[in-house]
Amino acid sequence: MTNTTTDTTIVRPADPTFREALRLAAIFAAIKLLLHFALTLWTQHLGYSYFRDEFYYIVCGRHLAWGYVDQGPIVAVQARLGELLFGDSLFAIRILSALAGAVAVFLTGLLTWALGGRRSAQGLAMLGILVAPCYLAIDSFLSMNSFEPMFWATCILAIVMMLRGHSQRTWWIVLGISAGLGLLNKPSMVFVLISLGLGLLFTPQRRLLFTWQAALGIVLMFVIVAPNVLWQAHYHWPLLEFLHNGKVGHKTPILGPLAFFGTQISTMHPLTVFLWIPGLIALLRSRSLPNCRWLGFTAVIFFALLMLMHAKDYYVVPIYPALFAAGGIAWERYFASRSFRSPLAIPLYETLLLITGILILPMAIPVLAPDTWIRYTTTMHLHADKLESAETGPLPQLYADRFGWQQEVDAVVRTYRSLSPTDQKTVCLFGDNYGEAGAIDFLGKQEEPTLPPAISPHNNYWMWGPHGCTGQLLIAVSDTTPEQLAHRFEDVTIVGRIDHPLAMPFEHRNIYLLRNRKPGAPPFDWEEMKFYF
């Protein structure tokens, strides 16, 4: 009796273009990484300090949890890993964000290759990412936004690879992990997944969704994100409360469709409109990019969802690697055709992107000293988009929020050291918002290790509690007036002031030493002080 074994393994011939694509993507990724390293050192040399949110993320990293009031847990893990691996210097805490930006560039190159683009298309797509002001900005400091395009691009690349005939099991696992981590990074990833799902459902590529491999990937995604959902449920959905308060409080400027579209042009570099719009058209027409209409539908649905929700303009940026990839292919094939053969077209366009990218670089990263920046942008008629509705000063918020913190911390530490040893054991350090409290916890602890932890009613600081504070003795950073405080405390002393001319106007406030709450004053009720915004 003879046993016959049938080998069903499909052996695919090696794609000779893959190695070249991999090499080119690695070169562009290295350029991106080194660029951010150099620019971080340069901005530090110019006097720009930590950004407000960086203090908060670092403190969150020292209070690791499965969730936070206003963000997913990934940025806290990022901050903690950065501290443990590289230290807490300005350069060190930004390494992982710069690395995430480099990975996004790398994935853009691979995505362009997977969609059928070759060397010129890949180079053009990755250059678009390199010069786009929004990518330069979000990858230049510690934040969750730098990781978002990386998770997005991985999900799209996984779908493209499956449509090319590669292992659905492998790539659905990759997609499930990336989507799950993306949801842990930013809950807004859910709109990405909705858009992707609808984009596939509206096209013949919907077949990918109705397989056991797809079920495996989706289950894996839910398993990864489940701890965060359980955390939110356990604490009565603080994220939803935070989002509601931001909406009713008009925290973010509400933009109409035309204004929203206009911000996309400015934040993504005005000349890249000739890259991503042809890319979107090519995807929707599905001629030069066959079987890719699902990706065009995904982009349109995503744009529409965010516009209807009045989301922040930079929430759209994760879709652009796909649009740049498609646009690069459209340029490559259009100018390689017999009717429109023009070997200089793409190099000329790339040169214009580089030159104009350098000119508008100061709008993304503070590469000019503040006074020089003001003169330069005034002369060039450049205007920064507002991130939030708060009034700004001479600098946009992204730059202004890097000033004034050392002034605050010096006053707090000086006042703390002036107290008796008994008072030092009972004093509370209070900040109205997480920026002020975070600066005390980070910079203050570097100056005076015995400082107690700061407290604040703002977002996750409220969840960490008052640390036994009774409200009888406080060093407080607050915008409350001395007259208002005099109704609550018997002794109100102004011990310092944040008045840095370049800081955000709402951060121009007093630093108080407050003693002895008056008998008739409202009690120090931590529950009533909660401020999710």
Side-chain angles (χ1 to χ4, degrees):
M1 185 173 181
T2 304
N3 291 328
T4 304
T5 302
T6 303
D7 185 4
T8 59
T9 301
I10 299 175
V11 180
R12 296 183 179 277
D15 187 337
T17 65
F18 178 67
R19 181 175 296 178
E20 181 182 336
L22 204 64
R23 185 185 303 113
L24 187 63
I27 291 171
F28 272 81
I31 292 171
K32 169 77 168 176
L33 186 63
L34 294 175
L35 176 66
H36 279 290
F37 284 173
L39 291 176
T40 295
L41 293 173
W42 177 247
T43 57
Q44 186 175 9
H45 168 73
L46 292 176
Y48 293 90
S49 185
Y50 296 84
F51 181 61
R52 164 196 301 276
D53 291 1
E54 290 178 313
F55 296 130
Y56 182 47
Y57 298 146
I58 290 171
V59 179
C60 287
R62 296 172 181 177
H63 295 79
L64 288 176
W66 276 110
Y68 299 90
V69 170
D70 48 350
Q71 66 207 23
I74 291 291
V75 71
V77 174
Q78 176 192 350
R80 191 61 188 145
L81 278 177
E83 260 199 300
L84 292 174
L85 295 175
F86 310 114
D88 58 12
S89 70
L90 190 66
F91 180 86
I93 66 165
R94 295 177 176 177
I95 288 176
L96 292 180
S97 282
L99 186 60
V103 172
V105 170
F106 180 82
L107 290 172
T108 301
L110 290 190
L111 181 58
T112 310
W113 166 83
L115 288 170
R118 293 299 174 254
R119 190 177 183 87
S120 60
Q122 292 158 16
L124 181 54
M126 290 187 285
L127 181 62
I129 301 291
L130 282 177
V131 301
C134 195
Y135 287 110
L136 287 166
I138 64 176
D139 298 335
S140 67
F141 64 97
L142 171 62
S143 80
M144 74 283 286
N145 297 313
S146 56
F147 276 70
E148 194 175 18
M150 180 179 71
F151 294 127
W152 243 104
T154 301
C155 290
I156 294 174
L157 179 62
I159 294 174
V160 173
M161 294 301 286
M162 285 187 278
L163 292 173
R164 284 173 60 104
H166 291 266
S167 169
Q168 287 198 36
R169 183 180 64 179
T170 299
W171 285 103
W172 267 113
I173 290 174
V174 170
L175 192 151
I177 293 173
S178 183
L181 292 176
L183 288 166
L184 290 181
N185 181 59
K186 281 189 74 172
S188 58
M189 183 77 179
V190 69
F191 300 110
V192 176
L193 299 175
I194 290 172
S195 302
L196 275 173
L198 291 175
L200 287 169
L201 281 172
F202 293 158
T203 60
Q205 286 71 43
R206 68 179 70 91
R207 67 181 186 275
L208 287 181
L209 297 174
F210 303 104
T211 63
W212 70 265
Q213 295 95 333
L216 174 63
I218 293 169
V219 167
L220 184 57
M221 176 189 71
F222 279 117
V223 168
I224 291 172
V225 78
N228 178 250
V229 176
L230 293 174
W231 184 94
Q232 288 285 337
H234 177 74
Y235 288 101
H236 310 292
W237 306 100
L239 177 63
L240 297 182
E241 184 178 344
F242 164 78
L243 293 173
H244 171 76
N245 292 344
K247 182 178 181 180
V248 300
H250 304 292
K251 183 178 181 179
T252 304
I254 297 177
L255 303 175
L258 288 178
F260 190 84
F261 181 77
T263 60
Q264 299 308 303
I265 294 175
S266 60
T267 60
M268 296 311 299
H269 188 305
L271 288 186
T272 62
V273 72
F274 300 110
L275 181 61
W276 59 268
I277 286 185
L280 179 59
I281 293 171
L283 290 171
L284 293 173
R285 293 181 66 188
S286 196
R287 290 183 183 175
S288 59
L289 288 164
N291 302 320
C292 290
R293 189 168 286 158
W294 64 271
L295 187 49
F297 286 164
T298 296
V300 171
I301 294 167
F302 188 58
F303 271 111
L305 278 175
L306 294 189
M307 277 196 291
L308 289 172
M309 295 178 59
H310 302 294
K312 294 180 181 179
D313 52 23
Y314 64 84
Y315 281 18
V316 186
V317 300
I319 192 62
Y320 283 100
L323 297 183
F324 284 1
I329 295 171
W331 272 73
E332 181 180 65
R333 294 181 179 174
Y334 181 81
F335 289 106
S337 67
R338 185 169 300 175
S339 302
F340 301 97
R341 189 176 297 277
S342 178
L344 294 178
I346 293 179
L348 284 174
Y349 179 46
E350 291 174 334
T351 301
L352 284 174
L353 282 176
L354 276 173
I355 293 172
T356 52
I358 292 171
L359 290 175
I360 63 177
L361 177 62
M363 305 306 296
I365 298 177
V367 294
L368 300 176
D371 291 344
T372 307
W373 186 91
I374 295 169
R375 291 195 301 271
Y376 179 79
T377 53
T378 301
T379 302
M380 298 291 290
H381 302 287
L382 297 172
H383 303 281
D385 295 323
K386 291 191 69 174
L387 301 178
E388 296 183 356
S389 300
E391 178 190 353
T392 57
L395 296 177
Q397 184 175 3
L398 187 61
Y399 299 172
D401 268 337
R402 307 178 195 219
F403 292 96
W405 307 117
Q406 194 61 55
Q407 186 182 23
E408 171 208 348
V409 167
D410 288 345
V412 169
V413 170
R414 183 177 63 250
T415 305
Y416 174 80
R417 288 173 174 169
S418 71
L419 300 175
S420 68
T422 301
D423 283 346
Q424 287 183 357
K425 292 179 181 178
T426 59
V427 70
C428 305
L429 310 182
F430 180 91
D432 273 350
N433 59 59
Y434 65 59
E436 296 155 2
I440 292 170
D441 278 337
F442 182 68
L443 297 177
K445 282 284 190 179
Q446 291 178 344
E447 289 191 27
E448 179 53 69
T450 63
L451 280 181
I455 64 173
S456 174
H458 192 199
N459 293 358
N460 230 80
Y461 261 99
W462 180 84
M463 295 195 76
W464 295 328
H467 300 292
C469 182
T470 61
Q472 293 299 312
L473 178 61
L474 296 126
I475 301 174
V477 185
S478 177
D479 63 355
T480 310
T481 66
E483 292 74 21
Q484 292 171 319
L485 290 170
H487 292 295
R488 303 179 189 176
F489 295 89
E490 293 181 358
D491 188 0
V492 178
T493 305
I494 298 176
V495 295
R497 180 170 175 79
I498 308 176
D499 56 4
H500 198 291
L502 299 175
M504 287 291 286
F506 70 80
E507 284 296 358
H508 292 189
R509 53 184 63 191
N510 292 327
I511 302 170
Y512 298 95
L513 178 61
L514 307 172
R515 290 182 181 271
N516 304 321
R517 295 184 77 87
K518 290 184 175 180
F524 187 78
D525 189 341
W526 193 250
E527 293 296 320
E528 291 294 325
M529 296 173 70
K530 181 174 69 171
F531 182 55
Y532 289 175
F533 191 74

